[in-house]
Amino acid sequence: MNRQAKCKTPRRPPPKKPPNSQRDPVGVYLRVRPLVAEDEECCIEVISSSTVQLHAPEGFKVNRNGEYKETQYSFKKVFGVSVSQMELFENVAKPLVVDLIHGKNGLLFTYGVTGSGKTFTMTGSPGQGGLLPRSLDMIFNSVGPFQAKRYIFKTDDKNGMEVQSEVDALLERQRRENNLTVLKTPSSRQKVDPEIGDMLKPEETCKADGVDEDSCYSIFVSYIEIYNNYIYDLLEETQEDAIKPKWNGGGTPVRQNTEFIPPQSKILREDQNHNMYVAGCMEVEVKSAEEAFQVFWRGQKKRKVANTRLNRESSRSHSVFIIKLAQAPLDAEGDNILQDKNQVSVSQLCLVDLAGSERTGRTGAEGTRIREAGNINQSLLNLRTCLEILRENQMYGTNKMVPYRDSKVSHLFKNYFDGEGKVRMVVCVNPKTDDYEETLLVMRFAEMTQEVEVARPVDRPICGFTPGRRHRNQAFREEISQRVEDRGDAMSALNGVVLSLPPLPTSELTDPNDELTIPRLVEALQNRQRIRQMMIEEFNRAASRMKSMLQELDSNVISKENVIIEQNGRLAEKDKVMHSNKMEIERLEKKTKMQEHKIDILQKTTKIYEDDKRSLQQEVETRGHRLQRELSEKRRMEQRMQGMVSDTQHKWEKECERRVNAMQLEMQNKLWVKDEKLKQLKAIVTESKTPGRPDPQPRQTQPLPQRPSREERPSREERPSREERPSRQECRDERPSREERPPSKRSASPPPVPSLDESCQSLDESSQGLDESRLNLNESCQSIDESPQTKTPVRPRHRRSRSAGVEKWVDHKPPSSLDLGTVLQPVIPNAIQVSAPNEKALSKCDRYVLTHQEVASDGEIQTKLIKGEVIKTRGGGQSVQFTDIETLKQELTTVSSRKRKSSEGAASSGSQTDGAWTDVKTRCSVALEMRAGSNMGPGVEHHGISK
C-alpha cells in the first residue's frame, strides 16, 4: 500500500480589516517613587504635570570628566510622589476599562528599573489597591447586573468563544462538579486571603457609563508568566498540590505521590483572525471582583520571585494578567441569548508587570540569578528594538521587518502594535542617585516610545434588533405578576367568606317535647341564609368589580389594539417612506454611477491632457536643454576662438621677436664685416702713406675676426628657442655672399694695392654704409623695445640638471579627485603619492605637484597640476614655492569638413583654421611649448604652436 504524499495546507489569507487612517500615539505616563529616607539625595525633579528634569549626581559628574548636564523629558502626564492609586487609575486604566466594555482591546504595562515600584503600581496593597483590582471592580460594577449564567459562554481551544443553551450549561456545570476531586464547602469559598482583604475602599468604587443593557456578559481571566523566555500558566494545577501529604483520621500523614513533575511551558499560536494567544492556557470564568482577584492571587503566589541586593522581592519573570470579556446580544424578545457564534464579541485587557532591568554588578546576582537577569535584559532590549524599528518605519516611510519573534514578550503583544487596541505604558522610576544611569536609559526609551503610533481600533457593528428589549421584557413580566397577584387576592377573599359560614348545630331529637333544637336549627339556618345573602351580595360586588376590571382590561386591550393599529399605520407610513427613500437611494445611486462615469471620463480626459502637458513640458525642457547646450557650445566656441586669437597673437609675437633677433644678428654680422673691411682699408691707407715702403706687398694673412665676449653674448633666455631659430634654408638665404664674407686664413691672398684716391672714396662709402647700418640697428632695437615682453622672469636660484634624473616628486592627489578617463594622464615617475601633504614626505622630495579639479565656465571639468619646489626653511622645516600651473581639459568639438590643405604658404598666411590641423605636415610641424622659466616635470604641456 503506497502512502500518499502529505499535501501542504495553504496559508489562510489575512482577514480584510476596514482601513483606518486614524492613529494614536502610545500613551506614556511617568510615576516617581518616594524616597525611603528623606535626607537622601534626589536626582529627579518634577517641573510640571508633563515634564521632569534629571540632575546628574556629584559622583557621576566626577566620573564623566566634570561634565554637568541637566536633561528634561516630557510625558503625557507625570505623577509625583504624593499621587494616590485612585488618581493614577482614573487617568491611566479607566479609559482602557471603558473601551473593554465597549468591545475594544487594550494593553497596559509597567516598565522601569528593579525596585522602582512596578508591582505596587499594578497590584497595590491592602487599602491601596493598584490598577488590577480597581479594573476588576469597575468591570463587575458595570456589567454585573447583565451577566449570563455560568457556562453559557464556553471557550474553545482556538482563542474563540461559543454560546450554549441553558440546558447544555447545566449539564456542563454538573459534569465539572462531578470531576472535582475535592468539593469546596461554602465556608471555604467565602474565605478570603488576609493578604488581599480590603484592597479597595467602598467610596472608591466606580462604574462605566453607556453599558449595552441588551447584551449578556461573561468575564474570563487567565494569568501567565514569561520566565527565561518560556511561557508558564500560573493557574494550571501542578503536581505540587498532589505531592503534599494528606492527613488521615489517625493523625498520620499519607503521601500519595513523591515524584515531582515540573510545569510544562506553553507555546504561542495564531488564531483565524491572526491574533496571538497562548495555546492550552487555562481560562477561568469569574462572577465577581472578589473571585477574580482571588484567582489572581492564587497565581501570584506561584510567580518567580527572588531576593537581591536591591530588592527583597524582585520579580524574576514578566507576568501577564488577561481579562477577557465576552458579550452577546439578546434575541428579539429579550429573554434568551442569541445562539449565533458570529454575534459574540470578545475583547480583552492585558495588564503586564514587566520585570525590572538590572545590572548584575549592583544586584550581586550569581548562578541562576545571572541567567535570569540576562534573559530579562535581553527581552526588554528586544522590545525596545521592535519599537525603534516601528517608529523608524512610521516616520521615514521605510519597510524594515520588525523582529517580534525574537522574544516572547514582543511576539505576544504583536497585534496591539499592529492596531488591535490602545497601548499605554506606566514608567516607574526611583529618584535616588544610585539608579541615575539606569533611569537615564529608561527615560530615553520612554520618550522614544511616545513617537510610536498605533492604529485606532474600529467600533464593532451593532446588531439589528430594537434597543431596550431587556427593559420592556422586565416591565411586561412585572405587570403579569401583578395581575396574577390581584386575581389571587380576590379568590382568597371568596374562599375566606365560604370558610367563615357558622357551623350547623346538632339536629338530633331525643325528646318529642324538645323545643330548643328546632328553634336553634332554624336560627342557625336563618343566620346562614343571612350570611349567604351577604356572600351573594359580596360576590355580586366582586363580580361587578371583576366585570369592571375586565371591561377596563378590554378597554385597555382595545386602546392598545388601537395603539397597535396606529403604530402599524405609522409603520406602514414608515414603510412607504422607507420605500420612497429606497427609490430615492436607487435614483441617487444611478445618479452617482452616472456621475462616477462622468468622473471617469473627466479623469481620462484629464489624464490625456496631463500626458499632453507632460509631453509638452518634456519637449520644452528638451528644447531648453538644447538651447542651453547651444549656448554653452557658443560660449565654448567663443572661448575657443579667443584662445585661438590669443595663441595666434602670441605666435606672431614670437615670430616677430624671432625675426627681429635674426635681423639684429644679421645687422651685427654685417656691421662686424664692414668694420673689418674698414680696418683693412685704414691699414692699407696708412701703409701707402708710409715713406720708404717697397712696392710689392708681401703676402699677409688676414687676422680672424674676434668672437664677442661672454658679456656681449646673449643669455640663454635671450637666445631664440629651437622653434624661434631660423631653419637651415633661411640661414642659407640670409648667409652673406662670398664677396661679403671676411677672408679666411687659407684663402687670404694679397689684395691689389689701390690708389690713394680710390682708397679714400671707398673709405667714405664704407663710412656712409656703416652709418646706415647703425641707423637700421637703432630702429630695430627701438621696435624690439616697443614690442610686448612675453618672457617669464627666471628664478636666479640654481637648479639641478633635469638630465640627472634624481628629482623626487610629492604627488598630492586629494581623495575627492575624479578619474576622467582621458588619454593624456599626468604620470610622474619616482614620486610619492599622498592624499594630504606631510612633513615626512616633503623632506624626502625636491618637487611638489597638486592635482586640482574644478568646473570651467563652459561646464566641463578641467584638471590643474599646480607645481612647486620644496625649499628648506631656516627653522628646519619645508615650504613649497609654486612655480607654474598646467591645465588638462576636455572640449567637445563640432565635426567640420576634413579637407586636406597644402602646407605651401601656411607660414605666410598668418592664421590657421581647424581644418589645417588635419594636414599631416601641419600636425607634424606642431611642437609643445613651455613657458619661459618653467621647471616642468613629466606631464601635460601648455600650448601647441607651429615649428
Side-chain angles (χ1 to χ4, degrees):
M1 180 177 176
N2 295 331
R3 188 175 181 180
Q4 295 181 355
K6 188 177 180 181
C7 299
K8 255 188 175 180
T9 304
R11 181 176 176 84
R12 295 187 304 270
K16 293 184 178 180
K17 298 181 181 180
N20 188 12
S21 59
Q22 296 180 348
R23 289 180 171 271
D24 296 324
V26 176
V28 181
Y29 301 85
L30 180 70
R31 187 178 192 183
V32 183
R33 173 182 176 173
L35 292 171
V36 179
E38 296 181 356
D39 56 348
E40 193 174 359
E41 185 181 359
C42 180
C43 64
I44 298 177
E45 179 184 0
V46 180
I47 297 178
S48 63
S49 61
S50 61
T51 309
V52 294
Q53 184 172 356
L54 263 68
H55 302 279
E58 295 294 331
F60 184 80
K61 185 171 65 177
V62 171
N63 294 335
R64 292 295 184 270
N65 299 324
E67 296 179 0
Y68 184 76
K69 184 178 181 181
E70 296 180 350
T71 312
Q72 292 186 0
Y73 297 94
S74 298
F75 301 92
K76 191 171 183 178
K77 192 172 182 61
V78 176
F79 301 97
V81 295
S82 60
V83 173
S84 62
Q85 297 275 61
M86 185 65 188
E87 183 178 356
L88 180 67
F89 172 77
E90 289 283 341
N91 289 275
V92 179
K94 187 175 180 179
L96 296 179
V97 176
V98 174
D99 289 344
L100 175 71
I101 296 173
H102 289 88
K104 299 178 183 178
N105 299 331
L107 171 63
L108 174 62
F109 60 94
T110 57
Y111 180 82
V113 188
T114 179
S116 57
K118 300 182 297 301
T119 305
F120 175 78
T121 301
M122 185 61 68
T123 307
S125 60
Q128 296 181 353
L131 300 178
L132 190 147
R134 294 181 187 274
S135 300
L136 292 173
D137 182 72
M138 182 177 178
I139 291 171
F140 283 100
N141 289 338
S142 303
V143 303
F146 315 113
Q147 288 190 79
K149 294 182 180 179
R150 198 181 292 269
Y151 304 117
I152 291 291
F153 290 94
K154 180 183 178 182
T155 60
D156 57 8
D157 295 334
K158 299 178 181 179
N159 200 29
M161 198 71 64
E162 297 177 352
V163 181
Q164 298 185 126
S165 63
E166 293 187 2
V167 176
D168 295 336
L170 182 60
L171 294 176
E172 181 74 16
R173 188 183 306 116
Q174 292 177 356
R175 183 179 63 81
R176 294 201 178 188
E177 288 179 355
N178 293 332
N179 291 336
L180 291 177
T181 57
V182 179
L183 294 177
K184 296 182 178 180
T185 61
S187 60
S188 63
R189 291 178 185 174
Q190 297 177 359
K191 185 178 180 181
V192 180
D193 197 324
E195 295 183 7
I196 61 173
D198 299 330
M199 295 291 290
L200 302 179
K201 298 178 181 178
E203 61 271 11
E204 292 180 352
T205 58
C206 57
K207 181 180 179 181
D209 298 330
V211 181
D212 187 9
E213 297 181 356
D214 296 325
S215 299
C216 285
Y217 301 87
S218 185
I219 296 96
F220 296 84
V221 296
S222 57
Y223 197 20
I224 62 173
E225 71 170 351
I226 302 175
Y227 176 71
N228 288 337
N229 208 25
Y230 289 98
I231 300 177
Y232 298 99
D233 187 4
L234 295 177
L235 302 181
E236 185 180 14
E237 294 293 339
T238 60
Q239 297 294 330
E240 294 181 1
D241 299 333
I243 65 174
K244 288 181 180 179
K246 294 186 178 181
W247 299 86
N248 57 8
T252 59
V254 178
R255 187 177 301 272
Q256 294 181 351
N257 187 7
T258 58
E259 183 181 359
F260 173 71
I261 301 176
Q264 296 295 322
S265 62
K266 306 298 180 181
I267 60 174
L268 289 177
R269 291 188 183 274
E270 191 176 28
D271 61 3
Q272 60 181 359
N273 296 323
H274 296 275
N275 295 324
M276 306 306 301
Y277 71 98
V278 181
C281 179
M282 185 176 181
E283 295 179 347
V284 181
E285 185 178 5
V286 291
K287 294 300 179 182
S288 65
E290 291 78 9
E291 182 183 358
F293 197 72
Q294 189 78 18
V295 172
F296 162 75
W297 196 251
R298 187 181 71 193
Q300 184 73 5
K301 291 181 178 180
K302 299 179 183 179
R303 189 182 174 187
K304 302 295 187 301
V305 178
N307 184 13
T308 63
R309 188 183 301 171
L310 300 179
N311 192 358
R312 187 182 63 181
E313 295 182 356
S314 177
S315 301
R316 313 310 296 172
S317 63
H318 310 295
S319 66
V320 182
F321 188 75
I322 303 174
I323 305 172
K324 187 176 291 186
L325 178 64
Q327 52 182 320
L330 298 174
D331 55 5
E333 300 297 331
D335 291 333
N336 301 317
I337 302 175
L338 281 177
Q339 301 292 320
D340 188 2
K341 186 177 181 180
N342 296 326
Q343 294 292 335
V344 179
S345 174
V346 180
S347 57
Q348 64 180 14
L349 174 63
C350 294
L351 302 176
V352 185
D353 182 15
L354 294 177
S357 60
E358 60 184 34
R359 294 187 177 181
T360 56
R362 295 188 58 213
T363 58
E366 296 179 356
T368 307
R369 300 292 169 261
I370 294 180
R371 181 188 174 191
E372 294 172 351
N375 289 317
I376 291 172
N377 295 336
Q378 183 63 34
S379 61
L380 296 177
L381 178 62
N382 186 75
L383 178 63
R384 177 173 183 173
T385 304
C386 293
L387 293 177
E388 286 179 351
I389 296 177
L390 194 61
R391 165 180 166 270
E392 183 179 352
N393 291 341
Q394 294 175 358
M395 293 183 65
Y396 304 108
T398 58
N399 195 18
K400 293 184 178 179
M401 186 188 71
V402 183
Y404 290 119
R405 294 178 177 269
D406 292 350
S407 174
K408 291 292 192 300
V409 176
S410 57
H411 194 194
L412 179 60
F413 304 127
K414 166 182 174 294
N415 305 106
Y416 291 94
F417 296 109
D418 289 343
E420 289 294 335
K422 289 185 179 180
V423 180
R424 295 198 173 185
M425 179 174 69
V426 180
V427 179
C428 300
V429 294
N430 195 341
K432 65 180 182 179
T433 57
D434 296 338
D435 294 343
Y436 175 77
E437 293 189 52
E438 290 87 347
T439 304
L440 193 63
L441 298 177
V442 169
M443 291 287 189
R444 292 174 183 172
F445 169 66
E447 194 173 39
M448 182 271 300
T449 307
Q450 294 182 113
E451 301 177 1
V452 178
E453 294 182 348
V454 179
R456 188 175 298 175
V458 183
D459 295 334
R460 64 184 179 90
I462 302 175
C463 63
F465 295 111
T466 306
R469 303 184 299 280
R470 184 191 293 269
H471 181 70
R472 287 198 305 272
N473 189 18
Q474 289 180 355
F476 179 74
R477 286 182 177 180
E478 290 176 358
E479 185 177 357
I480 293 298
S481 62
Q482 185 67 30
R483 291 180 181 179
V484 170
E485 289 177 0
D486 293 341
R487 291 180 181 178
D489 292 340
M491 293 302 294
S492 62
L494 290 176
N495 293 330
V497 171
V498 173
L499 294 175
S500 63
L501 289 174
L504 293 175
T506 58
S507 59
E508 182 180 2
L509 294 175
T510 58
D511 189 6
N513 297 325
D514 189 1
E515 298 180 356
L516 295 177
T517 304
I518 294 175
R520 193 183 309 121
L521 181 60
V522 170
E523 184 179 0
L525 291 175
Q526 291 177 354
N527 191 14
R528 287 176 67 89
Q529 180 67 24
R530 188 176 61 254
I531 293 173
R532 182 182 177 187
Q533 191 68 28
M534 291 176 60
M535 289 175 59
I536 291 171
E537 292 177 357
E538 184 69 23
F539 179 77
N540 291 331
R541 286 195 297 270
S544 63
R545 284 200 305 268
M546 180 64 67
K547 187 176 181 180
S548 62
M549 288 178 63
L550 291 176
Q551 290 176 356
E552 184 180 357
L553 288 175
D554 291 339
S555 62
N556 290 333
V557 169
I558 293 171
S559 63
K560 288 184 178 181
E561 287 179 355
N562 294 330
V563 171
I564 290 172
I565 293 171
E566 184 180 358
Q567 294 295 333
N568 290 331
R570 291 182 180 180
L571 286 175
E573 293 178 358
K574 294 293 183 182
D575 290 337
K576 292 180 181 179
V577 173
M578 289 177 63
H579 183 69
S580 63
N581 289 335
K582 287 181 179 179
M583 297 296 293
E584 184 69 18
I585 289 171
E586 290 178 358
R587 187 183 64 82
L588 291 176
E589 285 180 352
K590 292 180 181 179
K591 188 176 180 180
T592 303
K593 290 181 180 179
M594 188 180 300
Q595 295 294 334
E596 289 178 353
H597 181 64
K598 290 182 180 180
I599 288 172
D600 293 337
I601 295 174
L602 291 176
Q603 285 180 352
K604 292 178 181 178
T605 308
T606 306
K607 186 177 180 181
I608 293 172
Y609 287 158
E610 287 179 353
D611 293 339
D612 294 341
K613 179 182 177 182
R614 196 178 300 109
S615 62
L616 291 175
Q617 286 180 352
Q618 290 178 357
E619 186 177 355
V620 169
E621 291 177 357
T622 304
R623 293 188 178 183
H625 292 324
R626 188 184 303 169
L627 181 60
Q628 292 291 336
R629 287 198 300 269
E630 290 177 356
L631 290 176
S632 61
E633 187 67 24
K634 181 180 178 181
R635 289 194 297 268
R636 193 179 294 115
M637 291 297 295
E638 289 178 356
Q639 293 176 359
R640 183 178 178 184
M641 294 303 296
Q642 290 178 2
M644 291 177 62
V645 169
S646 61
D647 291 343
T648 307
Q649 183 179 358
H650 181 66
K651 179 182 68 175
W652 280 106
E653 287 176 357
K654 292 287 188 178
E655 182 68 20
C656 292
E657 183 179 356
R658 184 188 63 77
R659 292 186 179 183
V660 168
N661 291 334
M663 189 177 294
Q664 183 180 2
L665 183 60
E666 181 183 355
M667 296 302 294
Q668 287 179 358
N669 291 334
K670 288 182 180 180
L671 287 177
W672 177 52
V673 172
K674 289 185 178 181
D675 286 339
E676 293 298 328
K677 287 182 179 181
L678 185 57
K679 289 179 182 180
Q680 290 179 5
L681 289 175
K682 283 183 181 181
I684 293 170
V685 171
T686 306
E687 289 177 358
S688 63
K689 289 182 180 182
T690 304
R693 181 180 178 183
D695 292 337
Q697 282 287 341
R699 188 174 181 179
Q700 298 180 7
T701 60
Q702 185 178 356
L704 293 173
Q706 297 180 359
R707 296 178 63 182
S709 62
R710 185 178 296 273
E711 290 77 8
E712 296 175 355
R713 296 180 189 171
S715 64
R716 181 178 296 179
E717 288 77 7
E718 295 174 354
R719 295 178 189 172
S721 63
R722 182 173 297 179
E723 292 81 1
E724 298 170 354
R725 295 176 187 173
S727 62
R728 187 173 297 175
Q729 183 66 29
E730 293 175 353
C731 293
R732 290 176 181 174
D733 296 339
E734 295 172 359
R735 189 182 299 171
S737 62
R738 187 179 298 275
E739 290 80 8
E740 296 175 353
R741 293 180 188 175
S744 61
K745 185 181 295 184
R746 294 179 182 178
S747 62
S749 60
V753 180
S755 63
L756 182 60
D757 296 332
E758 294 175 356
S759 300
C760 292
Q761 185 179 358
S762 62
L763 182 60
D764 294 335
E765 293 175 357
S766 300
S767 300
Q768 187 177 359
L770 183 60
D771 295 336
E772 293 177 0
S773 299
R774 287 178 179 175
L775 182 60
N776 293 331
L777 181 61
N778 291 332
E779 291 177 358
S780 301
C781 294
Q782 186 177 1
S783 65
I784 291 172
D785 295 335
E786 292 176 356
S787 64
Q789 299 294 331
T790 61
K791 297 184 291 184
T792 305
V794 181
R795 292 181 67 253
R797 182 174 177 269
H798 171 70
R799 296 184 295 114
R800 185 182 293 226
S801 173
R802 188 173 298 174
S803 62
V806 294
E807 290 184 346
K808 295 191 68 174
W809 291 72
V810 176
D811 188 2
H812 179 192
K813 291 184 178 179
S816 61
S817 300
L818 300 176
D819 186 10
L820 301 180
T822 56
V823 177
L824 297 179
Q825 293 288 337
V827 180
I828 304 176
N830 198 15
I832 300 176
Q833 293 187 359
V834 294
S835 59
N838 50 44
E839 184 180 357
K840 183 177 180 181
L842 291 173
S843 63
K844 297 180 180 180
C845 301
D846 304 326
R847 306 297 302 278
Y848 171 85
V849 58
L850 168 64
T851 303
H852 173 66
Q853 289 182 347
E854 64 181 6
V855 181
S857 59
D858 56 355
E860 301 292 340
I861 298 178
Q862 64 180 7
T863 305
K864 290 186 177 182
L865 301 177
I866 306 173
K867 301 186 296 184
E869 295 185 358
V870 181
I871 302 174
K872 293 184 179 180
T873 59
R874 293 181 179 179
Q878 288 80 21
S879 64
V880 178
Q881 183 175 0
F882 294 101
T883 56
D884 56 0
I885 300 175
E886 296 182 18
T887 304
L888 175 61
K889 179 180 176 184
Q890 298 186 42
E891 295 182 355
L892 296 176
T893 59
T894 58
V895 180
S896 59
S897 59
R898 292 183 171 271
K899 185 184 295 183
R900 290 184 177 272
K901 292 186 179 180
S902 176
S903 61
E904 296 179 0
S908 61
S909 63
S911 64
Q912 293 180 352
T913 62
D914 292 341
W917 290 86
T918 61
D919 192 0
V920 177
K921 187 173 182 181
T922 306
R923 286 182 289 166
C924 293
S925 63
V926 173
L928 298 177
E929 178 202 3
M930 290 191 299
R931 295 183 181 178
S934 173
N935 296 328
M936 295 195 304
V940 181
E941 305 298 340
H942 289 268
H943 303 284
I945 62 172
S946 300
K947 294 182 181 179

